[in-house]
Amino acid sequence: MELGIRGRKALLSGASRGLGRACAFALAQEGVDVTIVARKRDALEKTGAEIAAATGVKVTTVAGDITTAQGRSAALAACPEPDILLNNADGPLPGDFRDWSRDDWIAALDAMMLSPIEMMRLTVDGMMARGFGRIVNIVSRSVKIPQLELALSNGARSGLVGFVAGLARQTVGSNVTINNLLPGIFDSGAQRAHIEGMLASTGKSFDELWRERAEANPARRYGRPMELGAYCAFLCSEHAGFITGQNLLIDGGSYPGTY
Ligand SMILES: NC(=O)c1ccc[n+]([C@@H]2O[C@H](COP(=O)([O-])OP(=O)(O)OC[C@H]3O[C@@H](n4cnc5c(N)ncnc54)[C@H](OP(=O)(O)O)[C@@H]3O)[C@@H](O)[C@H]2O)c1
């Protein structure tokens, strides 16, 4: 299928590795010029070079922290008028809410709710004026299936999802859609960090937990980042203008509900 977005410009944060990188790759394969943001320059430059070599699109790299005002300014300076915005960054580590201070909660809200909202604030009016925009937030299944050890994610990400539900209905009339992708278990960095964070409390080895989590999924495996990248590219396509405000699970069927 021709997605109809060749020559469009995408700004993607959290895109040097894992799910964000897969989204950048999938968009670039459709002829979209990509600006990718991450904090560590080496991995970012490597990914940028790989995408450019594989697809021939224009790739711009910005080394910065998207959860800071400085990082957001640098990202938007490199890509001032994005047609496509992907909001993504690190999620929280597992823990017990009894151990978290107000500062921990504020940091979680900054990273998982306020930073994506600020990126939308800075880009959505331009998209509406130009008559095209696709915004995708990488969130988590934790907003539909609370993850007991991930209360910071359950709480902060739900704030983002609630906000998007309202904004998405105000932008779609100008052909600007906003959707949230809710990954289940994926074979990428956040999953590894999550399992590392569960070793002490479970007394199990990394390999044991890794295997158990795959076996508990109806698909009996982890998601592949490129599967999420392809979904993202479709949501950013010209064909997806009637899909907005949705929370889209991509989890191998782990969500147990019928609807
Ligand atoms: N993988 C899963 O199974 C899964 C499931 C549910 C939800 N999620 C969520 O999906 C998101 C992506 O997960 P992933 O597995 O793809 O992680 P990953 O493989 O660790 O990749 C994270 C990417 O984001 C960048 N990044 C992180 N914090 C950043 C920041 N503040 N500013 C700019 N770039 C930043 C990282 O590069 P630098 O470190 O260089 O900045 C890297 O490129 C996370 O929020 C995660 O919690 C993942």
Side-chain angles (χ1 to χ4, degrees):
M1 180 189 276
E2 167 64 52
L3 296 189
I5 48 177
R6 192 162 296 280
R8 295 274 185 200
K9 295 187 287 291
L11 173 56
L12 306 100
S13 63
S16 66
R17 291 182 275 116
L19 305 181
R21 177 183 184 277
C23 293
F25 238 110
L27 287 167
Q29 279 163 344
E30 295 301 318
V32 174
D33 292 333
V34 294
T35 298
I36 57 174
V37 185
R39 293 163 301 184
K40 295 181 207 93
R41 189 176 291 281
D42 284 1
L44 180 69
E45 297 300 345
K46 183 167 175 287
T47 289
E50 286 167 357
I51 295 175
T55 65
V57 301
K58 183 175 174 219
V59 181
T60 306
T61 57
V62 179
D65 183 340
I66 203 68
T67 67
T68 66
Q70 196 185 2
R72 290 189 287 272
S73 295
L76 285 164
C79 184
E81 293 190 335
D83 304 302
I84 293 166
L85 174 69
L86 178 88
N87 289 312
N88 180 44
D90 272 348
L93 290 176
D96 185 320
F97 87 98
R98 293 166 189 82
D99 301 327
W100 295 326
S101 66
R102 175 178 167 78
D103 286 349
D104 294 320
W105 276 104
I106 297 297
L109 288 169
D110 265 342
M112 288 179 279
M113 179 185 172
L114 300 177
S115 168
I117 290 174
E118 183 64 359
M119 287 302 289
M120 288 187 253
R121 186 180 74 80
L122 294 167
T123 54
V124 79
D125 290 341
M127 290 177 177
M128 289 171 75
R130 294 189 297 276
F132 180 91
R134 299 285 184 263
I135 300 176
V136 175
N137 301 307
I138 296 188
V139 185
S140 168
R141 65 174 172 168
S142 70
V143 299
K144 281 190 77 115
I145 320 172
Q147 306 293 297
L148 301 188
E149 68 284 7
L150 281 180
L152 289 169
S153 175
N154 299 339
R157 293 194 196 275
S158 293
L160 174 66
V161 164
F163 171 81
V164 164
L167 181 62
R169 272 79 184 181
Q170 298 167 60
T171 62
V172 67
S174 301
N175 192 24
V176 177
T177 66
I178 313 177
N179 291 291
N180 304 312
L181 280 178
L182 313 185
I185 54 167
F186 270 79
D187 185 355
S188 52
Q191 189 63 227
R192 290 194 189 88
H194 182 95
I195 291 177
E196 294 283 356
M198 291 171 70
L199 301 183
S201 63
T202 59
K204 295 182 179 174
S205 71
F206 183 95
D207 288 347
E208 229 176 325
L209 281 171
W210 182 266
R211 214 176 27 251
E212 274 180 21
R213 286 168 75 79
E215 279 164 10
N217 188 287
R220 303 276 181 268
R221 67 172 173 89
Y222 287 80
R224 300 170 189 121
M226 289 310 286
E227 292 175 319
L228 185 139
Y231 199 174
C232 174
F234 176 74
L235 285 175
C236 295
S237 76
E238 68 170 4
H239 310 297
F242 210 53
I243 305 171
T244 201
Q246 300 305 299
N247 297 302
L248 303 161
L249 281 164
I250 173 160
D251 71 344
S254 77
Y255 176 70
T258 305
Y259 300 105

mmCIF file with all atom_site columns, all heavy atoms in Angstrom, residues 73-99:
data_model
loop_
_atom_site.group_PDB
_atom_site.id
_atom_site.type_symbol
_atom_site.label_atom_id
_atom_site.label_alt_id
_atom_site.label_comp_id
_atom_site.label_asym_id
_atom_site.label_entity_id
_atom_site.label_seq_id
_atom_site.pdbx_PDB_ins_code
_atom_site.Cartn_x
_atom_site.Cartn_y
_atom_site.Cartn_z
_atom_site.occupancy
_atom_site.B_iso_or_equiv
_atom_site.pdbx_formal_charge
_atom_site.auth_seq_id
_atom_site.auth_comp_id
_atom_site.auth_asym_id
_atom_site.auth_atom_id
_atom_site.pdbx_PDB_model_num
ATOM 1   N N   . SER A 1 73 ? 13.389 22.589 22.529 1.00 0.00 ? 73 SER A N   1
ATOM 2   C CA  . SER A 1 73 ? 13.738 23.705 21.637 1.00 0.00 ? 73 SER A CA  1
ATOM 3   C C   . SER A 1 73 ? 14.690 23.241 20.552 1.00 0.00 ? 73 SER A C   1
ATOM 4   O O   . SER A 1 73 ? 14.537 23.603 19.380 1.00 0.00 ? 73 SER A O   1
ATOM 5   C CB  . SER A 1 73 ? 14.449 24.825 22.403 1.00 0.00 ? 73 SER A CB  1
ATOM 6   O OG  . SER A 1 73 ? 13.586 25.376 23.320 1.00 0.00 ? 73 SER A OG  1
ATOM 7   N N   . ALA A 1 74 ? 15.688 22.434 20.938 1.00 0.00 ? 74 ALA A N   1
ATOM 8   C CA  . ALA A 1 74 ? 16.655 21.946 19.942 1.00 0.00 ? 74 ALA A CA  1
ATOM 9   C C   . ALA A 1 74 ? 15.956 21.075 18.898 1.00 0.00 ? 74 ALA A C   1
ATOM 10  O O   . ALA A 1 74 ? 16.229 21.166 17.695 1.00 0.00 ? 74 ALA A O   1
ATOM 11  C CB  . ALA A 1 74 ? 17.761 21.161 20.645 1.00 0.00 ? 74 ALA A CB  1
ATOM 12  N N   . ALA A 1 75 ? 15.023 20.241 19.358 1.00 0.00 ? 75 ALA A N   1
ATOM 13  C CA  . ALA A 1 75 ? 14.299 19.363 18.425 1.00 0.00 ? 75 ALA A CA  1
ATOM 14  C C   . ALA A 1 75 ? 13.493 20.194 17.426 1.00 0.00 ? 75 ALA A C   1
ATOM 15  O O   . ALA A 1 75 ? 13.513 19.948 16.219 1.00 0.00 ? 75 ALA A O   1
ATOM 16  C CB  . ALA A 1 75 ? 13.382 18.433 19.209 1.00 0.00 ? 75 ALA A CB  1
ATOM 17  N N   . LEU A 1 76 ? 12.809 21.207 17.935 1.00 0.00 ? 76 LEU A N   1
ATOM 18  C CA  . LEU A 1 76 ? 11.958 22.014 17.055 1.00 0.00 ? 76 LEU A CA  1
ATOM 19  C C   . LEU A 1 76 ? 12.771 22.975 16.191 1.00 0.00 ? 76 LEU A C   1
ATOM 20  O O   . LEU A 1 76 ? 12.324 23.352 15.107 1.00 0.00 ? 76 LEU A O   1
ATOM 21  C CB  . LEU A 1 76 ? 10.911 22.766 17.884 1.00 0.00 ? 76 LEU A CB  1
ATOM 22  C CG  . LEU A 1 76 ? 9.800  21.826 18.360 1.00 0.00 ? 76 LEU A CG  1
ATOM 23  C CD1 . LEU A 1 76 ? 8.984  22.450 19.473 1.00 0.00 ? 76 LEU A CD1 1
ATOM 24  C CD2 . LEU A 1 76 ? 8.897  21.435 17.187 1.00 0.00 ? 76 LEU A CD2 1
ATOM 25  N N   . ALA A 1 77 ? 13.957 23.347 16.654 1.00 0.00 ? 77 ALA A N   1
ATOM 26  C CA  . ALA A 1 77 ? 14.826 24.172 15.806 1.00 0.00 ? 77 ALA A CA  1
ATOM 27  C C   . ALA A 1 77 ? 15.252 23.361 14.577 1.00 0.00 ? 77 ALA A C   1
ATOM 28  O O   . ALA A 1 77 ? 15.367 23.880 13.472 1.00 0.00 ? 77 ALA A O   1
ATOM 29  C CB  . ALA A 1 77 ? 16.037 24.645 16.590 1.00 0.00 ? 77 ALA A CB  1
ATOM 30  N N   . ALA A 1 78 ? 15.470 22.055 14.775 1.00 0.00 ? 78 ALA A N   1
ATOM 31  C CA  . ALA A 1 78 ? 15.908 21.202 13.667 1.00 0.00 ? 78 ALA A CA  1
ATOM 32  C C   . ALA A 1 78 ? 14.747 20.839 12.742 1.00 0.00 ? 78 ALA A C   1
ATOM 33  O O   . ALA A 1 78 ? 14.938 20.582 11.555 1.00 0.00 ? 78 ALA A O   1
ATOM 34  C CB  . ALA A 1 78 ? 16.539 19.929 14.223 1.00 0.00 ? 78 ALA A CB  1
ATOM 35  N N   . CYS A 1 79 ? 13.546 20.817 13.286 1.00 0.00 ? 79 CYS A N   1
ATOM 36  C CA  . CYS A 1 79 ? 12.355 20.443 12.488 1.00 0.00 ? 79 CYS A CA  1
ATOM 37  C C   . CYS A 1 79 ? 11.198 21.345 12.916 1.00 0.00 ? 79 CYS A C   1
ATOM 38  O O   . CYS A 1 79 ? 10.318 20.932 13.668 1.00 0.00 ? 79 CYS A O   1
ATOM 39  C CB  . CYS A 1 79 ? 12.028 18.961 12.711 1.00 0.00 ? 79 CYS A CB  1
ATOM 40  S SG  . CYS A 1 79 ? 10.662 18.360 11.693 1.00 0.00 ? 79 CYS A SG  1
ATOM 41  N N   . PRO A 1 80 ? 11.188 22.603 12.449 1.00 0.00 ? 80 PRO A N   1
ATOM 42  C CA  . PRO A 1 80 ? 10.227 23.587 12.977 1.00 0.00 ? 80 PRO A CA  1
ATOM 43  C C   . PRO A 1 80 ? 8.766  23.319 12.582 1.00 0.00 ? 80 PRO A C   1
ATOM 44  O O   . PRO A 1 80 ? 7.861  23.736 13.301 1.00 0.00 ? 80 PRO A O   1
ATOM 45  C CB  . PRO A 1 80 ? 10.697 24.920 12.396 1.00 0.00 ? 80 PRO A CB  1
ATOM 46  C CG  . PRO A 1 80 ? 11.908 24.640 11.567 1.00 0.00 ? 80 PRO A CG  1
ATOM 47  C CD  . PRO A 1 80 ? 12.119 23.163 11.473 1.00 0.00 ? 80 PRO A CD  1
ATOM 48  N N   . GLU A 1 81 ? 8.565  22.659 11.438 1.00 0.00 ? 81 GLU A N   1
ATOM 49  C CA  . GLU A 1 81 ? 7.180  22.451 10.984 1.00 0.00 ? 81 GLU A CA  1
ATOM 50  C C   . GLU A 1 81 ? 6.936  20.973 10.681 1.00 0.00 ? 81 GLU A C   1
ATOM 51  O O   . GLU A 1 81 ? 6.747  20.576 9.524  1.00 0.00 ? 81 GLU A O   1
ATOM 52  C CB  . GLU A 1 81 ? 6.903  23.308 9.745  1.00 0.00 ? 81 GLU A CB  1
ATOM 53  C CG  . GLU A 1 81 ? 6.926  24.796 10.051 1.00 0.00 ? 81 GLU A CG  1
ATOM 54  C CD  . GLU A 1 81 ? 6.409  25.632 8.892  1.00 0.00 ? 81 GLU A CD  1
ATOM 55  O OE1 . GLU A 1 81 ? 6.480  25.157 7.731  1.00 0.00 ? 81 GLU A OE1 1
ATOM 56  O OE2 . GLU A 1 81 ? 5.925  26.740 9.153  1.00 0.00 ? 81 GLU A OE2 1
ATOM 57  N N   . PRO A 1 82 ? 6.936  20.129 11.718 1.00 0.00 ? 82 PRO A N   1
ATOM 58  C CA  . PRO A 1 82 ? 6.730  18.701 11.440 1.00 0.00 ? 82 PRO A CA  1
ATOM 59  C C   . PRO A 1 82 ? 5.302  18.423 10.959 1.00 0.00 ? 82 PRO A C   1
ATOM 60  O O   . PRO A 1 82 ? 4.350  19.041 11.424 1.00 0.00 ? 82 PRO A O   1
ATOM 61  C CB  . PRO A 1 82 ? 6.978  18.042 12.802 1.00 0.00 ? 82 PRO A CB  1
ATOM 62  C CG  . PRO A 1 82 ? 6.713  19.103 13.813 1.00 0.00 ? 82 PRO A CG  1
ATOM 63  C CD  . PRO A 1 82 ? 7.050  20.417 13.151 1.00 0.00 ? 82 PRO A CD  1
ATOM 64  N N   . ASP A 1 83 ? 5.196  17.489 10.023 1.00 0.00 ? 83 ASP A N   1
ATOM 65  C CA  . ASP A 1 83 ? 3.870  16.978 9.622  1.00 0.00 ? 83 ASP A CA  1
ATOM 66  C C   . ASP A 1 83 ? 3.486  15.820 10.524 1.00 0.00 ? 83 ASP A C   1
ATOM 67  O O   . ASP A 1 83 ? 2.302  15.506 10.668 1.00 0.00 ? 83 ASP A O   1
ATOM 68  C CB  . ASP A 1 83 ? 3.922  16.458 8.181  1.00 0.00 ? 83 ASP A CB  1
ATOM 69  C CG  . ASP A 1 83 ? 4.419  17.505 7.211  1.00 0.00 ? 83 ASP A CG  1
ATOM 70  O OD1 . ASP A 1 83 ? 3.795  18.572 7.132  1.00 0.00 ? 83 ASP A OD1 1
ATOM 71  O OD2 . ASP A 1 83 ? 5.456  17.265 6.547  1.00 0.00 ? 83 ASP A OD2 1
ATOM 72  N N   . ILE A 1 84 ? 4.499  15.163 11.063 1.00 0.00 ? 84 ILE A N   1
ATOM 73  C CA  . ILE A 1 84 ? 4.317  13.961 11.883 1.00 0.00 ? 84 ILE A CA  1
ATOM 74  C C   . ILE A 1 84 ? 5.139  14.139 13.151 1.00 0.00 ? 84 ILE A C   1
ATOM 75  O O   . ILE A 1 84 ? 6.303  14.564 13.079 1.00 0.00 ? 84 ILE A O   1
ATOM 76  C CB  . ILE A 1 84 ? 4.801  12.715 11.102 1.00 0.00 ? 84 ILE A CB  1
ATOM 77  C CG1 . ILE A 1 84 ? 3.891  12.451 9.882  1.00 0.00 ? 84 ILE A CG1 1
ATOM 78  C CG2 . ILE A 1 84 ? 4.880  11.493 12.015 1.00 0.00 ? 84 ILE A CG2 1
ATOM 79  C CD1 . ILE A 1 84 ? 4.452  11.470 8.874  1.00 0.00 ? 84 ILE A CD1 1
ATOM 80  N N   . LEU A 1 85 ? 4.520  13.843 14.288 1.00 0.00 ? 85 LEU A N   1
ATOM 81  C CA  . LEU A 1 85 ? 5.228  13.955 15.570 1.00 0.00 ? 85 LEU A CA  1
ATOM 82  C C   . LEU A 1 85 ? 5.092  12.634 16.312 1.00 0.00 ? 85 LEU A C   1
ATOM 83  O O   . LEU A 1 85 ? 3.971  12.159 16.533 1.00 0.00 ? 85 LEU A O   1
ATOM 84  C CB  . LEU A 1 85 ? 4.597  15.084 16.406 1.00 0.00 ? 85 LEU A CB  1
ATOM 85  C CG  . LEU A 1 85 ? 5.131  15.245 17.834 1.00 0.00 ? 85 LEU A CG  1
ATOM 86  C CD1 . LEU A 1 85 ? 6.573  15.753 17.825 1.00 0.00 ? 85 LEU A CD1 1
ATOM 87  C CD2 . LEU A 1 85 ? 4.239  16.218 18.630 1.00 0.00 ? 85 LEU A CD2 1
ATOM 88  N N   . LEU A 1 86 ? 6.212  12.057 16.697 1.00 0.00 ? 86 LEU A N   1
ATOM 89  C CA  . LEU A 1 86 ? 6.185  10.877 17.562 1.00 0.00 ? 86 LEU A CA  1
ATOM 90  C C   . LEU A 1 86 ? 6.753  11.277 18.919 1.00 0.00 ? 86 LEU A C   1
ATOM 91  O O   . LEU A 1 86 ? 7.901  11.715 19.005 1.00 0.00 ? 86 LEU A O   1
ATOM 92  C CB  . LEU A 1 86 ? 7.029  9.734  16.995 1.00 0.00 ? 86 LEU A CB  1
ATOM 93  C CG  . LEU A 1 86 ? 7.030  8.515  17.931 1.00 0.00 ? 86 LEU A CG  1
ATOM 94  C CD1 . LEU A 1 86 ? 5.856  7.583  17.630 1.00 0.00 ? 86 LEU A CD1 1
ATOM 95  C CD2 . LEU A 1 86 ? 8.330  7.734  17.877 1.00 0.00 ? 86 LEU A CD2 1
ATOM 96  N N   . ASN A 1 87 ? 5.937  11.126 19.961 1.00 0.00 ? 87 ASN A N   1
ATOM 97  C CA  . ASN A 1 87 ? 6.393  11.395 21.320 1.00 0.00 ? 87 ASN A CA  1
ATOM 98  C C   . ASN A 1 87 ? 6.772  10.091 21.998 1.00 0.00 ? 87 ASN A C   1
ATOM 99  O O   . ASN A 1 87 ? 5.929  9.205  22.163 1.00 0.00 ? 87 ASN A O   1
ATOM 100 C CB  . ASN A 1 87 ? 5.284  12.086 22.122 1.00 0.00 ? 87 ASN A CB  1
ATOM 101 C CG  . ASN A 1 87 ? 5.055  13.504 21.656 1.00 0.00 ? 87 ASN A CG  1
ATOM 102 O OD1 . ASN A 1 87 ? 6.000  14.275 21.485 1.00 0.00 ? 87 ASN A OD1 1
ATOM 103 N ND2 . ASN A 1 87 ? 3.797  13.867 21.430 1.00 0.00 ? 87 ASN A ND2 1
ATOM 104 N N   . ASN A 1 88 ? 8.034  9.999  22.405 1.00 0.00 ? 88 ASN A N   1
ATOM 105 C CA  . ASN A 1 88 ? 8.525  8.774  23.043 1.00 0.00 ? 88 ASN A CA  1
ATOM 106 C C   . ASN A 1 88 ? 9.752  9.110  23.887 1.00 0.00 ? 88 ASN A C   1
ATOM 107 O O   . ASN A 1 88 ? 10.530 9.994  23.533 1.00 0.00 ? 88 ASN A O   1
ATOM 108 C CB  . ASN A 1 88 ? 8.913  7.754  21.961 1.00 0.00 ? 88 ASN A CB  1
ATOM 109 C CG  . ASN A 1 88 ? 9.430  6.456  22.525 1.00 0.00 ? 88 ASN A CG  1
ATOM 110 O OD1 . ASN A 1 88 ? 8.862  5.916  23.482 1.00 0.00 ? 88 ASN A OD1 1
ATOM 111 N ND2 . ASN A 1 88 ? 10.512 5.944  21.965 1.00 0.00 ? 88 ASN A ND2 1
ATOM 112 N N   . ALA A 1 89 ? 9.873  8.453  25.018 1.00 0.00 ? 89 ALA A N   1
ATOM 113 C CA  . ALA A 1 89 ? 11.057 8.596  25.890 1.00 0.00 ? 89 ALA A CA  1
ATOM 114 C C   . ALA A 1 89 ? 11.049 7.402  26.833 1.00 0.00 ? 89 ALA A C   1
ATOM 115 O O   . ALA A 1 89 ? 10.178 6.523  26.730 1.00 0.00 ? 89 ALA A O   1
ATOM 116 C CB  . ALA A 1 89 ? 11.019 9.908  26.669 1.00 0.00 ? 89 ALA A CB  1
ATOM 117 N N   . ASP A 1 90 ? 11.982 7.392  27.767 1.00 0.00 ? 90 ASP A N   1
ATOM 118 C CA  . ASP A 1 90 ? 12.047 6.286  28.720 1.00 0.00 ? 90 ASP A CA  1
ATOM 119 C C   . ASP A 1 90 ? 10.785 6.207  29.577 1.00 0.00 ? 90 ASP A C   1
ATOM 120 O O   . ASP A 1 90 ? 10.209 7.234  29.934 1.00 0.00 ? 90 ASP A O   1
ATOM 121 C CB  . ASP A 1 90 ? 13.213 6.503  29.692 1.00 0.00 ? 90 ASP A CB  1
ATOM 122 C CG  . ASP A 1 90 ? 14.516 5.928  29.154 1.00 0.00 ? 90 ASP A CG  1
ATOM 123 O OD1 . ASP A 1 90 ? 14.473 5.187  28.158 1.00 0.00 ? 90 ASP A OD1 1
ATOM 124 O OD2 . ASP A 1 90 ? 15.556 6.227  29.755 1.00 0.00 ? 90 ASP A OD2 1
ATOM 125 N N   . GLY A 1 91 ? 10.413 4.999  29.958 1.00 0.00 ? 91 GLY A N   1
ATOM 126 C CA  . GLY A 1 91 ? 9.373  4.807  30.959 1.00 0.00 ? 91 GLY A CA  1
ATOM 127 C C   . GLY A 1 91 ? 10.021 4.663  32.332 1.00 0.00 ? 91 GLY A C   1
ATOM 128 O O   . GLY A 1 91 ? 11.249 4.712  32.449 1.00 0.00 ? 91 GLY A O   1
ATOM 129 N N   . PRO A 1 92 ? 9.208  4.464  33.368 1.00 0.00 ? 92 PRO A N   1
ATOM 130 C CA  . PRO A 1 92 ? 9.769  4.363  34.712 1.00 0.00 ? 92 PRO A CA  1
ATOM 131 C C   . PRO A 1 92 ? 10.216 2.942  35.026 1.00 0.00 ? 92 PRO A C   1
ATOM 132 O O   . PRO A 1 92 ? 9.796  1.989  34.376 1.00 0.00 ? 92 PRO A O   1
ATOM 133 C CB  . PRO A 1 92 ? 8.571  4.708  35.588 1.00 0.00 ? 92 PRO A CB  1
ATOM 134 C CG  . PRO A 1 92 ? 7.416  4.156  34.816 1.00 0.00 ? 92 PRO A CG  1
ATOM 135 C CD  . PRO A 1 92 ? 7.751  4.279  33.358 1.00 0.00 ? 92 PRO A CD  1
ATOM 136 N N   . LEU A 1 93 ? 11.037 2.814  36.058 1.00 0.00 ? 93 LEU A N   1
ATOM 137 C CA  . LEU A 1 93 ? 11.416 1.485  36.531 1.00 0.00 ? 93 LEU A CA  1
ATOM 138 C C   . LEU A 1 93 ? 10.376 0.998  37.532 1.00 0.00 ? 93 LEU A C   1
ATOM 139 O O   . LEU A 1 93 ? 9.648  1.799  38.127 1.00 0.00 ? 93 LEU A O   1
ATOM 140 C CB  . LEU A 1 93 ? 12.789 1.549  37.184 1.00 0.00 ? 93 LEU A CB  1
ATOM 141 C CG  . LEU A 1 93 ? 13.928 1.798  36.187 1.00 0.00 ? 93 LEU A CG  1
ATOM 142 C CD1 . LEU A 1 93 ? 15.258 1.946  36.911 1.00 0.00 ? 93 LEU A CD1 1
ATOM 143 C CD2 . LEU A 1 93 ? 14.007 0.678  35.151 1.00 0.00 ? 93 LEU A CD2 1
ATOM 144 N N   . PRO A 1 94 ? 10.302 -0.340 37.718 1.00 0.00 ? 94 PRO A N   1
ATOM 145 C CA  . PRO A 1 94 ? 9.346  -0.863 38.686 1.00 0.00 ? 94 PRO A CA  1
ATOM 146 C C   . PRO A 1 94 ? 9.701  -0.449 40.108 1.00 0.00 ? 94 PRO A C   1
ATOM 147 O O   . PRO A 1 94 ? 10.850 -0.122 40.402 1.00 0.00 ? 94 PRO A O   1
ATOM 148 C CB  . PRO A 1 94 ? 9.481  -2.378 38.542 1.00 0.00 ? 94 PRO A CB  1
ATOM 149 C CG  . PRO A 1 94 ? 10.500 -2.658 37.527 1.00 0.00 ? 94 PRO A CG  1
ATOM 150 C CD  . PRO A 1 94 ? 11.058 -1.384 37.016 1.00 0.00 ? 94 PRO A CD  1
ATOM 151 N N   . GLY A 1 95 ? 8.705  -0.492 40.991 1.00 0.00 ? 95 GLY A N   1
ATOM 152 C CA  . GLY A 1 95 ? 8.955  -0.155 42.394 1.00 0.00 ? 95 GLY A CA  1
ATOM 153 C C   . GLY A 1 95 ? 7.662  -0.184 43.188 1.00 0.00 ? 95 GLY A C   1
ATOM 154 O O   . GLY A 1 95 ? 6.610  -0.598 42.685 1.00 0.00 ? 95 GLY A O   1
ATOM 155 N N   . ASP A 1 96 ? 7.773  0.257  44.451 1.00 0.00 ? 96 ASP A N   1
ATOM 156 C CA  . ASP A 1 96 ? 6.639  0.287  45.372 1.00 0.00 ? 96 ASP A CA  1
ATOM 157 C C   . ASP A 1 96 ? 6.309  1.744  45.666 1.00 0.00 ? 96 ASP A C   1
ATOM 158 O O   . ASP A 1 96 ? 7.207  2.521  46.007 1.00 0.00 ? 96 ASP A O   1
ATOM 159 C CB  . ASP A 1 96 ? 7.046  -0.440 46.664 1.00 0.00 ? 96 ASP A CB  1
ATOM 160 C CG  . ASP A 1 96 ? 5.878  -0.573 47.639 1.00 0.00 ? 96 ASP A CG  1
ATOM 161 O OD1 . ASP A 1 96 ? 5.093  0.394  47.770 1.00 0.00 ? 96 ASP A OD1 1
ATOM 162 O OD2 . ASP A 1 96 ? 5.762  -1.634 48.274 1.00 0.00 ? 96 ASP A OD2 1
ATOM 163 N N   . PHE A 1 97 ? 5.032  2.085  45.570 1.00 0.00 ? 97 PHE A N   1
ATOM 164 C CA  . PHE A 1 97 ? 4.670  3.507  45.700 1.00 0.00 ? 97 PHE A CA  1
ATOM 165 C C   . PHE A 1 97 ? 5.031  4.077  47.067 1.00 0.00 ? 97 PHE A C   1
ATOM 166 O O   . PHE A 1 97 ? 5.205  5.283  47.223 1.00 0.00 ? 97 PHE A O   1
ATOM 167 C CB  . PHE A 1 97 ? 3.189  3.719  45.379 1.00 0.00 ? 97 PHE A CB  1
ATOM 168 C CG  . PHE A 1 97 ? 2.247  3.548  46.540 1.00 0.00 ? 97 PHE A CG  1
ATOM 169 C CD1 . PHE A 1 97 ? 1.778  4.645  47.235 1.00 0.00 ? 97 PHE A CD1 1
ATOM 170 C CD2 . PHE A 1 97 ? 1.827  2.290  46.922 1.00 0.00 ? 97 PHE A CD2 1
ATOM 171 C CE1 . PHE A 1 97 ? 0.909  4.502  48.298 1.00 0.00 ? 97 PHE A CE1 1
ATOM 172 C CE2 . PHE A 1 97 ? 0.964  2.133  47.982 1.00 0.00 ? 97 PHE A CE2 1
ATOM 173 C CZ  . PHE A 1 97 ? 0.500  3.231  48.676 1.00 0.00 ? 97 PHE A CZ  1
ATOM 174 N N   . ARG A 1 98 ? 5.203  3.196  48.056 1.00 0.00 ? 98 ARG A N   1
ATOM 175 C CA  . ARG A 1 98 ? 5.577  3.672  49.400 1.00 0.00 ? 98 ARG A CA  1
ATOM 176 C C   . ARG A 1 98 ? 6.959  4.315  49.410 1.00 0.00 ? 98 ARG A C   1
ATOM 177 O O   . ARG A 1 98 ? 7.290  5.097  50.289 1.00 0.00 ? 98 ARG A O   1
ATOM 178 C CB  . ARG A 1 98 ? 5.536  2.521  50.402 1.00 0.00 ? 98 ARG A CB  1
ATOM 179 C CG  . ARG A 1 98 ? 4.130  2.000  50.644 1.00 0.00 ? 98 ARG A CG  1
ATOM 180 C CD  . ARG A 1 98 ? 4.122  0.659  51.356 1.00 0.00 ? 98 ARG A CD  1
ATOM 181 N NE  . ARG A 1 98 ? 2.782  0.094  51.387 1.00 0.00 ? 98 ARG A NE  1
ATOM 182 C CZ  . ARG A 1 98 ? 2.243  -0.582 50.373 1.00 0.00 ? 98 ARG A CZ  1
ATOM 183 N NH1 . ARG A 1 98 ? 2.914  -0.785 49.262 1.00 0.00 ? 98 ARG A NH1 1
ATOM 184 N NH2 . ARG A 1 98 ? 1.008  -1.064 50.471 1.00 0.00 ? 98 ARG A NH2 1
ATOM 185 N N   . ASP A 1 99 ? 7.761  3.949  48.409 1.00 0.00 ? 99 ASP A N   1
ATOM 186 C CA  . ASP A 1 99 ? 9.132  4.468  48.381 1.00 0.00 ? 99 ASP A CA  1
ATOM 187 C C   . ASP A 1 99 ? 9.260  5.749  47.567 1.00 0.00 ? 99 ASP A C   1
ATOM 188 O O   . ASP A 1 99 ? 10.345 6.319  47.487 1.00 0.00 ? 99 ASP A O   1
ATOM 189 C CB  . ASP A 1 99 ? 10.076 3.417  47.756 1.00 0.00 ? 99 ASP A CB  1
ATOM 190 C CG  . ASP A 1 99 ? 10.049 2.118  48.546 1.00 0.00 ? 99 ASP A CG  1
ATOM 191 O OD1 . ASP A 1 99 ? 9.880  2.201  49.778 1.00 0.00 ? 99 ASP A OD1 1
ATOM 192 O OD2 . ASP A 1 99 ? 10.162 1.042  47.929 1.00 0.00 ? 99 ASP A OD2 1
#
